[in-house]
């Protein structure tokens, strides 16, 4: 509901984040159609960091929702991969970067509603270029939908960090909030939680990715190492080593850990003091 509240332009950002099965895309598409129907001459763009083909966009979903609402072919007409409303509004789809250049961003001038799909993939430089480009009209807004991947991703740092933009409304959504959650999808979700609850919490619960696929050190292994060090007997400690990974710039976190080498040849993390500079 918050996606259609107030006047367009009353928010700088409206954002939905969460796991799979939350109907984020459906909610955003329906809200975008609502605004285009009620606002005259509104230009709405669904954008991704890189969009090689239209099949990667939400074009098919927009088409199906326009048909569902009985608008397509009546007051909305599809021409050249765009949807034109009789009131002058239009919905289009594009990538922000083309040929290693932000050429897509430059063409967004004059867009009233910019919707970032798979926003976790949008780079920091794209966001920095995008915001002043599109925020040029009284009704300009940026919407973002994503499944969180890392706290260091640009969209998370911007919208879920300690200093979010003013007039930003950021909402977490859950699969249980989706009243039309398909039974087959729920069955798959339950099976995923049984097989790998940590991974499933990212896919379905919107938690950050536990670790890189195929990583030598997984999040489970690190958590066990830290937990094991909490009640470690001093008699088992051979020596203690402090490891420091300095920040690489751009606000990266400084990694600081205290690790005990044990008399049995193993090691255990005593504590993690990592912090932001």
């Amino acid at each position: 509901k918050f996606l259609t509240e107030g006047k367009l332009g009353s928010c700088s950002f409206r954002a939905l984040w969460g796991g799979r099965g939350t109907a984020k895309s459906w909610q955003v598409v329906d809200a975008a159609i609502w605004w285009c129907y009620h606002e005259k001459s509104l230009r709405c763009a669904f954008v991704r960091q890189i969009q090689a083909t239209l099949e990667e966009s939400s074009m098919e979903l927009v088409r199906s929702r326009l048909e569902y609402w009985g608008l397509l072919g009546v007051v909305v007409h599809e021409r050249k991969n765009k949807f034109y409303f009789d009131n002058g509004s239009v919905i289009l789809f594009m990538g922000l970067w083309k040929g290693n250049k932000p050429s897509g961003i430059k063409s967004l001038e004059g867009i009233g509603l910019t919707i970032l799909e798979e926003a976790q993939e949008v780079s920091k430089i794209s966001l920095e270029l995008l915001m002043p480009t599109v925020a040029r009209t009284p009704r300009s807004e940026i919407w973002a939908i994503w499944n969180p991947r890392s706290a260091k991703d640009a969209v998370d740092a911007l919208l879920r960090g300690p200093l979010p933009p003013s007039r930003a409304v950021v909402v977490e959504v859950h699969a249980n909030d989706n009243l039309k959650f398909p039974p087959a999808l729920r069955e798959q979700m339950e099976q995923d939680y049984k097989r790998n609850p940590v991974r499933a919490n990212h896919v379905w619960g919107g938690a950050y990715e536990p670790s890189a696929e195929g990583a030598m050190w997984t999040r489970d292994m690190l958590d066990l190492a830290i937990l094991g060090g909490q009640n470690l007997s001093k008699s088992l400690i051979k020596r203690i080593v402090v490891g420091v990974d300095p920040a690489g710039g751009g606000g990266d976190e400084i990694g600081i850990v205290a690790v005990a080498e044990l008399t049995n040849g193993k090691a255990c993390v005593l504590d993690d003091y990592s912090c932001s500079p």
Side-chain angles (χ1 to χ4, degrees):
K1 184 180 178 180
F2 83 101
L3 293 172
T4 55
E5 287 181 336
K7 293 183 178 180
L8 195 62
S10 60
C11 298
S12 56
F13 283 87
R14 304 193 200 209
L16 283 171
W17 66 271
R20 187 182 178 195
T22 56
K24 299 186 297 296
S25 297
W26 285 58
Q27 294 179 63
V28 166
V29 166
D30 279 354
I33 292 172
W34 188 91
W35 280 113
C36 286
Y37 182 82
H38 288 89
E39 291 276 325
K40 293 182 179 180
S41 302
L42 174 65
R43 297 184 69 210
C44 171
F46 283 80
V47 301
R48 296 182 178 227
Q49 175 69 11
I50 297 175
Q51 181 179 289
T53 65
L54 282 169
E55 284 73 20
E56 297 175 355
S57 72
S58 287
M59 184 175 181
E60 182 58 37
L61 178 57
V62 172
R63 182 187 294 116
S64 68
R65 297 308 289 170
L66 286 169
E67 291 176 343
Y68 175 83
W69 295 115
L71 299 175
L72 192 62
V74 181
V75 296
V76 183
H77 308 278
E78 183 177 350
R79 298 193 300 271
K80 295 182 179 180
N81 302 319
K82 299 177 183 178
F83 295 99
Y84 292 89
F85 289 66
D86 286 350
N87 64 358
S89 295
V90 60
I91 296 178
L92 54 97
F93 312 86
M94 62 188 303
L96 296 176
W97 284 70
K98 299 177 182 178
N100 295 321
K101 294 182 180 180
S103 55
I105 297 177
K106 296 177 182 178
S107 62
L108 286 172
E109 289 189 18
I111 293 292
L113 179 55
T114 304
I115 300 173
L116 301 177
E117 302 183 82
E118 303 292 345
Q120 74 276 6
E121 298 178 358
V122 176
S123 67
K124 182 179 180 182
I125 188 171
S126 289
L127 281 177
E128 290 174 346
L129 293 172
L130 179 67
M131 288 187 286
T133 300
V134 301
R136 296 190 177 189
T137 70
R139 58 181 181 179
S140 293
E141 288 191 6
I142 298 176
W143 293 5
I145 48 176
W146 78 102
N147 188 343
R149 182 177 57 186
S150 167
K152 294 182 179 180
D153 284 339
V155 68
D156 270 88
L158 176 67
L159 297 178
R160 297 177 63 198
L163 295 173
S166 60
R167 298 185 299 113
V169 182
V170 183
V171 175
E172 178 184 5
V173 289
H174 304 272
N176 289 333
D177 298 329
N178 182 5
L179 299 180
K180 297 183 179 180
F181 194 53
L185 207 58
R186 183 174 296 280
E187 182 180 351
Q188 181 182 340
M189 179 181 70
E190 292 172 351
Q191 290 176 350
D192 286 348
Y193 269 104
K194 291 178 181 178
R195 285 193 292 260
N196 189 338
V198 175
R199 181 67 182 172
N201 201 32
H202 161 65
V203 174
W204 300 97
Y208 291 130
E209 272 189 325
S211 59
E213 293 292 338
M216 182 178 295
W217 300 97
T218 66
R219 173 55 57 189
D220 284 348
M221 293 167 64
L222 294 173
D223 288 344
L224 285 172
I226 294 174
L227 290 172
Q230 291 179 346
N231 300 309
L232 189 65
S233 171
K234 292 182 179 180
S235 62
L236 296 176
I237 298 176
K238 183 177 180 180
R239 64 171 178 161
I240 295 176
V241 177
V242 177
V244 179
D245 181 12
D252 288 347
E253 190 176 49
I254 302 173
I256 307 173
V257 292
V259 182
E261 181 185 2
L262 308 182
T263 55
N264 60 7
K266 296 183 180 181
C268 192
V269 178
L270 297 175
D271 213 334
D272 185 342
Y273 300 94
S274 300
C275 61
S276 298

